[in-house]
Amino acid sequence: MSSKERQIKRIGVLTSGGDAPGMNAGIRAVVRASVYYHITPFGIRHGYDGFINNDICEMHAGSVKHIIHQGGTILKSARSNEFKTDEGMKKAWENVKEHQLDALVVIGGDGTFKGAMEFGNMFDFPIVGIPGTIDNDIFGTDFTVGFDTAVNTVVEAVDKIRDTATSHNRLFFVEVMGRDAGFIAMYSGIGAGAEEILIPEKDRGVEQLFESLERTSQRKKSSRLVIVAEGDKNANVYDIEEKVRERFGDRYETKVTILGHVQRGGRPSCTDRVLASRLGVTAIEALRKGRHGVMAGVRNRKVEFTDFEQATKRNPEMDRELMRVANIISI
Ligand code: F6P
């Protein structure tokens, strides 16, 4: 029987990589859709580490009650180094056989899908992915689960920083997450009305910042906010502050705030809950139809599937239109 025709009776679900608000809604949808289609769901705890260590237990519709509004992931998460090895994957395969799993749903980012692709190819095992990361850096979906909540968390924090920045006429540099991509910085920067947004995708970052500070230093602006993506290739946030001090002396009183992991927690927004619920159901339905080796995403409001290979190799492009908008409104 080919993998396409395999009947799905037992499905595993795990969350892996950096946790993201909305992952619980995704787990809930996977479990509920499984039960709906008479499939037995199994929760795998601690991501691929739990897959290797047999931290797997059966779930029921009731296992996922009262979690849709909770941040984090009830299944816990991990970044597994062991799963990158053949030995680790072979151990996990033994657990697949022990629990007679017919398929797997993984919720996570780039690293999660790379692991899924290799494991799926090695053992001809059906896996479908759901994009769950606050970074929004996955090709094949307009938004990842967790991004909307994270940018709203950032905007709320930056609004507060603006209050104190204005009271003291200060220039704040706020570092936000986004290891390789500037989506959190770009969206929250526009949403919070930042004067400058420094992202890895932009080459002229610091020079542009100097020009804008030069331009506006004559104007009586009571505060300035610069959002810096942690992955900005020009420098880290403290280096940037240092460069500004060297260039402008005491023309600006500068402060640095690193928002850090506060961005990863909190109640998921409705947008994230809906996205995760939709993709959770989609993943189960796709597996039932024999579709696997793909990530389920939403593009232009429609569900679309992207091969793991594409989803992991290609990077989503930063919207040039947004960059232009940010430039125009920050004069
Ligand atoms: O991948 C999401 C993310 O939050 C990145 O933005 C950040 O660089 C990284 O995870 C931090 O990971 P950790 O919590 O393992 O330090």
Side-chain angles (χ1 to χ4, degrees), residues 17-19 79 133-135 137 177-180 184 230 261 264:
D19 62 342
R79 299 187 196 277
T133 163
I134 63 165
D135 289 355
D137 59 350
M177 278 186 165
R179 204 174 12 207
D180 307 310
I184 297 178
E230 68 171 331
H261 285 78
R264 286 245 294 263

Side-chain angles (χ1 to χ4, degrees), residues 134-136 147 150-151 154 176-178 181-190 199 227 229 263 318:
I134 63 165
D135 289 355
N136 204 41
F147 174 69
V151 289
V154 172
V176 300
M177 278 186 165
F183 290 99
I184 297 178
M186 182 54 75
Y187 275 75
S188 63
I190 292 176
I199 56 173
I227 305 288
Q263 296 160 91
M318 175 59 67

